[in-house]
DNA sequence: CACAACTGTGAGCAGTGCTCTTGCGGACGG
DNA sequence: CCGTCCGCAAGAGCACTGCTCACAGTTGTG
């Protein structure tokens, strides 16, 4: 039983989220203003607090929504690739992440940029959607490994350097927490890939390569993903 | 001829910058408040504007100072390593960057995190100090290559994938702009290393790996630098 | 129908960046 | 040595922010 009131409330909530995204994408995450949303909504400023407890509360909601949206884009891209084309699955996710980030740079900044001042994300809420993409990438690596189709080119997994015993213990404990027991070398490899991908995308989105560095990163993005895939061993 | 007045002014300026850094490191970059600085300085709020034109102006000054400080830390670390130990030079810079970032997380966020809302860095001012570290890393690669001591393990430079003709043209134009003509494969490799290093450090500093992901990244940071060095071909 | 829950109003507090006018005091030229 | 002038600080003020609270109106329900 859904009353008209509930329907109206839900519509208002959706409108608030939409306006909030608009603000974030136009002016950046910390410029998010509840009063401005109220104005756009044609309502007095204090009325907003009937719908959202605080600015941080709204920010958390956006964060969760953003992570979920990104994860769904990645999932969709991955689903379009045969399950046994491990490298292509991994690359498809990377490319989907990049496309999403370029389409919504401020949203990417909200998710993976520096922390918003004074705001600390409640990890119990943001963590599940926030790790979805990472887990998909990890799954591609694990499945490739299980199928004997992974030949890492760098790091300990390639036999170049070594994971110390303490590191091994700590890493295996962490992956066991996640429910998927894997060996330390693979965890190291997965995290290397993840951080490298984040670095590639963030460098492009945040324009961290000096004046005319941006076009270079743009040109190279796909080559970089391929290179990381090489390194991981696909 | 330096008047006492100028000395006093310079002292006040330095104090303002110090207080500003303190605020940035305690509360984050966008929480930087000129009024708060004035309070700490024991002066009325408007007096600050005798020293700094605007909040953005101060932010730019901090940005330049931060980049320079980081670059000097990196230079010092590199100088402690023999010039022909290319891999170690490159690793020393990476480790210095990470140490600096962990020591001053908010400062790292200011330099390499998402852009501060509403603030657009004047690239002509921030770019020269901002690219110093990148150029040092690039120099290590170039010199290693010249000495015949570089064997890339991934990407086009390893012959795995290819740089398209248009990409080659664009990349060589860009590196020519910088004054150092190098071939496209090396540029791709250098940028790959740079973005990967940024990704590793930012992931750790910004805690982007979920709840207990941070310790894993911390444990792995050095292994990741080694792996990236492997990939680049040191 | 009456009561209760929900929604919107407007005033108000404390904080922000930034501008403007006013006045003080040290530095400098005659 | 004195008067002028300029650098500095003060304080009021504008427009904005998040957030709270007492109040009024509307709507749903026992």
């Amino acid at each position: 039983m859904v009353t008209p009131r509930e329907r109206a409330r839900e519509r208002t909530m959706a409108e608030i989220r939409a306006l909030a995204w608009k603000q974030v994408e136009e002016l950046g995450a910390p410029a998010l203003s509840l009063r401005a949303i109220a104005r756009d909504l044609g309502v007095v400023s204090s009325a907003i607090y009937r719908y959202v407890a605080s600015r941080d509360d709204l920010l958390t909601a956006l964060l969760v929504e953003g992570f979920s949206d990104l994860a769904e884009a990645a999932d969709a891209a991955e689903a379009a690739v045969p399950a046994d084309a491990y490298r292509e699955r991994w690359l498809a996710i990377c490319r989907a992440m990049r496309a999403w980030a370029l389409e919504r740079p401020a949203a990417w900044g909200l998710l993976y940029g520096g922390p918003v001042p004074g705001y600390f994300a409640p990890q119990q809420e943001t963590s599940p959607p926030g790790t979805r993409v990472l887990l998909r990438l990890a799954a591609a690596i694990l499945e490739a490994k299980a199928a004997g189709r992974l030949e890492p080119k760098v790091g300990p997994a390639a036999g170049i350097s070594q994971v110390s015993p303490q590191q091994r213990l700590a890493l295996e404990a962490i992956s066991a927490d996640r429910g998927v027991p894997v060996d330390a070398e693979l965890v190291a490899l997965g995290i290397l890939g993840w951080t490298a991908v984040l670095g590639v995308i963030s460098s492009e989105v945040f324009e961290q390569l000096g004046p005319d560095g941006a076009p270079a990163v743009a040109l190279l993005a796909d080559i970089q993903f391929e290179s990381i895939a090489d390194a991981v061993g696909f």
Side-chain angles (χ1 to χ4, degrees), chain A:
Chain A
M1 175 63 191
V2 25
T3 73
R5 208 167 220 176
E6 280 170 348
R7 296 172 50 83
R9 182 177 182 85
E10 195 44 54
R11 260 196 348 186
T12 308
M13 289 273 237
E15 199 166 353
I16 288 177
R17 278 195 299 268
L19 288 172
W21 274 120
K22 189 159 157 276
Q23 278 196 26
V24 167
E25 307 203 341
E26 281 174 4
L27 296 161
L32 179 64
S33 157
L34 294 187
R35 283 181 120 107
I37 293 177
R39 264 195 305 276
D40 291 1
L41 213 59
V43 95
V44 91
S45 72
S46 58
I48 285 290
Y49 293 88
R50 299 285 166 198
Y51 296 91
V52 12
S54 70
R55 209 189 88 111
D56 284 10
D57 190 65
L58 179 55
L59 226 34
T60 302
L62 293 187
L63 217 47
V64 170
E65 209 175 65
F67 274 127
S68 301
D69 191 55
L70 172 62
E72 267 154 43
D75 285 358
E78 187 188 16
V81 174
D84 61 344
Y86 306 108
R87 180 185 173 104
E88 282 308 315
R89 274 171 60 194
W90 193 89
L91 284 173
I93 297 174
C94 291
R95 292 182 186 127
M97 289 175 71
R98 172 169 178 260
W100 192 91
L102 289 179
E103 199 179 344
R104 313 176 61 181
W108 177 266
L110 180 59
L111 303 189
Y112 295 108
V116 179
Y119 167 71
F120 293 95
Q123 296 207 319
Q124 59 174 5
E125 300 198 25
T126 61
S127 179
T131 48
R132 272 179 62 186
V133 183
L134 173 55
L135 291 180
R136 294 304 255 170
L137 285 172
I141 294 181
L142 287 180
E143 291 173 29
K145 172 72 173 177
R149 299 249 304 274
L150 202 73
E151 294 169 16
K153 302 270 187 306
V154 303
I160 299 185
S161 52
Q162 292 251 328
V163 175
S164 79
Q166 317 122 27
Q167 286 175 328
R168 183 176 309 280
L169 278 174
L171 290 176
E172 281 167 357
I174 287 166
S175 52
D177 269 358
R178 292 265 198 280
V180 205
V182 289
D183 59 299
E185 278 81 6
L186 271 187
V187 175
L189 209 57
I191 295 185
L192 175 64
W194 173 250
T195 56
V197 169
L198 287 189
V200 168
I201 298 176
S202 289
S203 288
E204 182 176 4
V205 173
F206 300 154
E207 302 186 5
Q208 279 158 352
L209 274 128
D212 20 53
V217 192
L219 278 171
L220 283 175
D222 213 65
I223 292 185
Q224 307 226 15
F225 291 149
E226 299 264 4
S227 300
I228 300 169
D230 294 343
V232 171
F234 284 113

